[in-house]
C-alpha cells in the first residue's frame, strides 16, 4: 500500500445487531459493525479523508463479512489480519425512550494485537494516528502496542490523537490513568468528555481540564459536555460551540463519530471552530437514525446541514 493516508485508527471491531424496539421483545435485528476507533475511522472516511485501520479480525462466521464491508466502504484495511478467534458482538435496543446495550466481547481477536503485527512503514504513510483508552485496555499487548506506535509517530513527524473513552466502558480510574500516562507525552490532539475528565482528574470543570492538559504540552484539546457544548483549546485560546437541541433517535457512537468528523476537517486545513461545527453537525444528523456506523452521514449532507445551523 503506497498511497498516503490522512488518518490511521487502531481499534477493535464488533458486530452490531440493532433494533428500534426493546431487546426483550424484538424479533428482528439489523446487522452492521461498530467499535469506538472504527466509528471514528468511518466518520472521517465519509467526511472525505483517506483512512486506514489497524486491528485483528477473528475467523469466525463474521470475519469475512467485516473485511468485505470495509472494502466496500473504502476503508484501507490491507494490513488487517484475519486470525484464529472470535469477534465481539453487541446489541442495541430502545425501551421507553432509553437505549439498551448488551455486549459480548471477552477475549476477542483484537485483544491479541501486538507489536509484531505492526508495519511501522505503514504508520509513516499517515498524517495522523488515532486510538482510544478502551483499545489500550483490551490486553497488555495492545497497551504496549499503542505506546510504541505513538512514540514512533512522534519521533517520525506523524501527528497523534487520543480519546480516553474510559467512563462508558467501565474502565477503573487506576487503569484509565495508567493508559493515559503511558502516551500523554506523545499526544497532539486530545478528545475528552467531562465524565472522562472526572474519572481521570476528579473534575468536570472544562477550564481546569484544559489547564491540566495544556500544561502537559497537548496542543489541541476538545472537551465535550452535554450542558455547555464543545470547548476547543489551541494556541492559548479557547472557543465554545454551544449545544443544539434536536431530535435524537439513537446516540450510539456519536462521540466517536464527532472525533472522526473533526479530524477530517482539521487535517483538510479548517480552523478549530469550523472543524468543531462540522463535527457537531455530523453528530446531530447521525443521532436521527439507529446504529453506530450505518447512521453516519456523508460529507455533502453534513456540509449542507452545517450551513443551515451555523450560516
Amino acid at each position: 500500500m503506497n498511497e498516503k493516508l490522512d488518518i490511521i485508527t487502531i481499534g477493535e471491531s464488533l458486530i452490531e445487531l440493532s433494533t428500534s424496539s426493546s431487546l426483550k421483545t424484538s424479533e428482528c435485528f439489523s446487522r452492521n459493525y461498530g467499535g469506538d476507533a472504527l466509528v471514528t475511522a468511518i466518520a472521517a472516511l465519509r467526511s472525505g479523508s483517506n483512512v486506514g485501520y489497524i486491528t485483528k479480525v477473528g475467523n469466525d462466521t463474521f470475519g469475512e463479512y467485516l473485511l468485505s464491508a470495509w472494502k466496500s466502504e473504502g476503508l484501507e484495511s490491507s494490513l488487517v489480519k484475519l486470525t484464529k478467534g472470535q469477534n465481539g458482538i453487541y446489541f442495541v435496543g430502545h425501551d421507553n425512550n432509553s437505549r439498551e446495550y448488551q455486549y459480548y466481547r471477552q477475549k476477542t481477536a483484537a485483544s491479541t494485537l501486538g507489536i509484531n503485527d505492526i508495519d511501522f512503514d505503514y504508520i509513516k504513510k499517515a498524517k495522523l494516528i488515532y486510538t482510544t483508552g478502551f483499545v489500550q485496555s483490551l490486553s497488555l499487548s495492545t497497551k504496549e502496542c499503542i505506546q510504541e506506535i505513538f512514540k514512533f509517530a512522534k519521533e517520525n513527524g506523524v501527528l497523534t490523537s487520543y480519546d480516553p473513552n474510559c467512563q462508558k466502558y467501565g474502565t477503573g480510574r487506576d487503569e484509565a490513568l495508567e493508559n493515559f500516562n503511558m502516551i500523554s507525552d506523545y499526544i497532539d490532539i486530545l478528545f475528552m468528555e467531562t465524565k472522562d475528565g472526572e474519572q481521570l482528574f476528579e473534575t468536570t470543570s472544562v477550564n481546569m481540564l484544559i489547564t491540566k492538559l495544556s500544561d502537559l504540552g497537548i496542543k489541541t484539546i476538545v472537551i465535550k459536555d452535554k450542558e455547555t457544548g464543545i470547548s476547543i483549546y489551541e494556541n492559548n485560546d479557547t472557543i465554545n460551540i454551544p449545544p443544539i437541541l434536536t431530535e435524537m433517535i439513537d446516540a450510539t457512537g456519536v462521540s466517536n463519530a464527532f472525533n472522526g468528523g473533526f479530524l477530517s476537517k482539521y487535517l483538510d486545513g479548517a480552523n478549530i471552530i469550523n472543524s468543531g461545527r462540522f463535527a457537531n453537525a455530523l453528530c446531530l444528523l447521525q443521532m436521527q437514525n439507529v446504529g453506530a456506523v450505518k447512521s453516519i452521514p456523508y460529507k455533502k449532507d453534513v456540509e449542507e446541514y452545517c450551513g443551515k445551523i451555523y450560516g
Side-chain angles (χ1 to χ4, degrees), residues 295-309:
S295 60
I296 297 173
Y298 289 84
K299 181 179 180 179
K300 180 181 177 182
D301 294 328
V302 178
E303 288 177 335
E304 291 178 358
Y305 189 61
C306 193
K308 290 179 181 178
I309 59 178

Side-chain angles (χ1 to χ4, degrees), residues 29 38 72 89 98 119 148 152 163 175 205 225 228 231 235 238 249 263 267-268 291 293 303:
F29 293 85
L38 182 54
S72 297
I89 297 177
S98 64
D119 180 350
E148 290 302 314
F152 178 86
D163 188 330
E175 183 179 8
S205 165
D225 184 85
T228 62
S231 297
N235 298 325
T238 302
I249 295 175
L263 290 172
L267 292 176
D268 197 39
V293 166
E303 288 177 335

Side-chain angles (χ1 to χ4, degrees), residues 32-96:
N32 212 288
Y33 56 87
D36 59 356
L38 182 54
V39 171
T40 298
I42 300 300
L45 180 66
R46 293 185 183 178
S47 297
S49 293
N50 192 8
V51 183
Y53 184 55
I54 294 175
T55 192
K56 292 177 80 172
V57 171
N59 62 348
D60 63 13
T61 306
F62 296 109
E64 293 294 342
Y65 157 70
L66 289 169
L67 296 177
S68 176
W70 298 339
K71 183 177 180 180
S72 297
E73 184 73 48
L75 183 66
E76 208 303 301
S77 52
S78 60
L79 297 185
V80 171
K81 295 186 176 182
L82 189 65
T83 187
K84 184 177 180 180
Q86 63 183 3
N87 298 292
I89 297 177
Y90 70 100
F91 293 81
V92 183
H94 295 78
D95 187 23
N96 296 324

Side-chain angles (χ1 to χ4, degrees), residues 249-299:
I249 295 175
D250 182 15
T252 304
V254 67
S255 183
N256 304 310
F258 177 98
N259 298 353
F262 182 94
L263 290 172
S264 178
K265 200 71 174 176
Y266 186 80
L267 292 176
D268 197 39
N271 59 27
I272 56 173
I273 190 165
N274 287 332
S275 298
R277 286 174 172 174
F278 177 89
N280 205 38
L282 184 152
C283 292
L284 293 171
L285 284 175
Q286 182 190 15
M287 289 189 296
Q288 295 173 26
N289 293 286
V290 176
V293 166
K294 65 182 179 180
S295 60
I296 297 173
Y298 289 84
K299 181 179 180 179

